[in-house]
């Protein structure tokens, strides 16, 4: 099984980086001046150096601190504008937007937030999002006579094999959960799969950090599968809710290395 690991980037912009199921990895991006500048400014924002609605320094000031041209800073700001993190106001400069305005499902934004320090609020909102969708989808899947049982069983078999070192556990786990949502037979839930899948990758990268945690989750997955196959809607809903709550406890109990009690405090003394 391949599980995400923290690694050192070739830049001092971040002390660590987070690999989200190898879908997005700050360490693997080309270390261009543009990307380093985007990463550094994003670090300032997620780290709390500049709070929501706060004005950022001028392009000249940022360029002076980072040792890059105004053009590089301007292009970096365009990237952050596109991700909803900042906005440029005429005659008012560039300001930080509230977190709710950010592209929260964007893998790059997620990586910046995880690298900047995980908060309890982030974990609770992540789990709450999953609880608001997946258990209901599981109940609907159990009531769907055309549910693809073979696909669900295949995903489970691959998960079970992966804990013994045969295959990719995260890929199989993702297929398991996507099959349930797709099998809900609801067109609106199916439209959520791309967003939900990114959220699942985040959750998996935080909660499944070893063979032991993956193996411990197998019985809960089996219970959900059995409930769906047995047309037990309530059992499917309750079983998936239990599985998701277990992920919350795993994150809070196992990821104390990156979990913080509140917002990250900016500690660097800046000359801006």
């Amino acid at each position: 099984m391949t599980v995400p690991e923290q690694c050192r980037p070739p830049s001092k912009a971040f002390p660590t980086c987070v690999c989200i199921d190898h879908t997005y990895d700050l360490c693997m991006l080309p270390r261009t001046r543009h990307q380093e500048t985007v990463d550094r400014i994003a670090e300032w924002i997620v780290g709390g150096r500049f709070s929501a609605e706060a004005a950022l320094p001028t392009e000249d000031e940022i360029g002076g601190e980072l040792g890059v041209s105004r053009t590089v800073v301007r292009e970096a700001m365009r990237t952050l504008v596109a991700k909803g993190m900042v906005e440029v106001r005429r005659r008012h400069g560039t300001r930080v937007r509230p977190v709710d305005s950010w592209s929260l499902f964007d893998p790059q934004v997620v990586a910046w937030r995880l690298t900047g320090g995980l908060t309890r609020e982030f974990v609770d909102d992540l789990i709450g999002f999953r609880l608001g969708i997946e258990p209901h989808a599981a109940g609907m899947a159990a009531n769907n006579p055309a549910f693809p049982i073979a696909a669900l069983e295949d995903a489970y078999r691959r998960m079970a094999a992966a804990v013994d070192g045969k295959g990719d556990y995260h890929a199989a786990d993702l297929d398991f959960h996507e099959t349930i949502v797709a099998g809900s037979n609801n067109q609106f839930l199916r439209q959520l799969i791309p967003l939900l899948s990114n959220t699942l990758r985040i959750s998996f990268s935080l909660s499944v950090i070893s063979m032991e945690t993956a193996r411990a989750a197998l019985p809960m997955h089996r219970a959900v599968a059995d409930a769906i196959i047995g047309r037990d809607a309530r059992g499917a809903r309750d079983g998936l809710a239990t599985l998701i709550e277990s992920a919350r406890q795993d994150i809070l109990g196992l990821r104390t290395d990156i979990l913080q009690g509140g917002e990250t405090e900016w500690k660097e003394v800046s000359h801006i």
Side-chain angles (χ1 to χ4, degrees), residues 96-110:
V96 177
R97 301 187 72 191
V99 172
D100 286 352
S101 298
W102 300 0
S103 299
L104 298 180
F105 292 101
D106 185 299
Q108 198 171 14
V109 173
V110 171

Side-chain angles (χ1 to χ4, degrees), residues 47-206:
R49 179 176 178 179
F50 300 103
S51 59
E53 303 299 336
L56 292 177
T58 66
E59 292 175 355
D60 285 335
E61 291 172 326
I62 293 176
E65 176 166 346
L66 301 182
V68 297
S69 68
R70 290 179 59 189
T71 300
V72 172
V73 175
R74 190 175 300 118
E75 290 300 319
M77 288 302 179
R78 288 176 181 171
T79 297
L80 295 173
V81 167
K83 295 181 184 299
M85 296 181 71
V86 302
E87 64 178 338
V88 179
R89 300 176 182 175
R90 193 172 183 180
R91 298 192 182 92
H92 294 282
T94 303
R95 293 185 178 274
V96 177
R97 301 187 72 191
V99 172
D100 286 352
S101 298
W102 300 0
S103 299
L104 298 180
F105 292 101
D106 185 299
Q108 198 171 14
V109 173
V110 171
W112 285 327
R113 296 187 73 191
L114 296 184
T115 304
L118 191 65
T119 66
R120 177 63 185 262
E121 179 186 20
F122 181 93
V123 174
D124 287 342
D125 285 350
L126 172 67
I127 297 300
F129 177 77
R130 293 188 61 188
L131 286 171
I133 296 175
E134 292 184 74
H136 301 289
M140 297 172 72
N143 288 325
N144 177 14
F147 181 85
I149 294 174
L152 190 67
E153 289 284 19
D154 177 69
Y156 180 81
R157 281 194 296 269
R158 287 187 288 117
M159 290 172 64
V163 299
D164 292 323
K166 301 175 183 178
D168 186 332
Y169 182 87
H170 281 173
D173 198 3
L174 184 61
D175 286 346
F176 183 92
H177 289 267
E178 286 185 347
T179 298
I180 292 174
V181 178
S184 66
N185 199 31
N186 182 288
Q187 59 184 308
F188 295 101
L189 286 177
R190 288 197 299 268
Q191 284 286 307
L192 289 177
I193 289 177
L195 295 180
L196 181 61
S197 294
N198 194 31
T199 306
L200 289 169
R201 290 186 181 98
I202 302 165
S203 183
F204 297 164
S205 73
L206 294 172

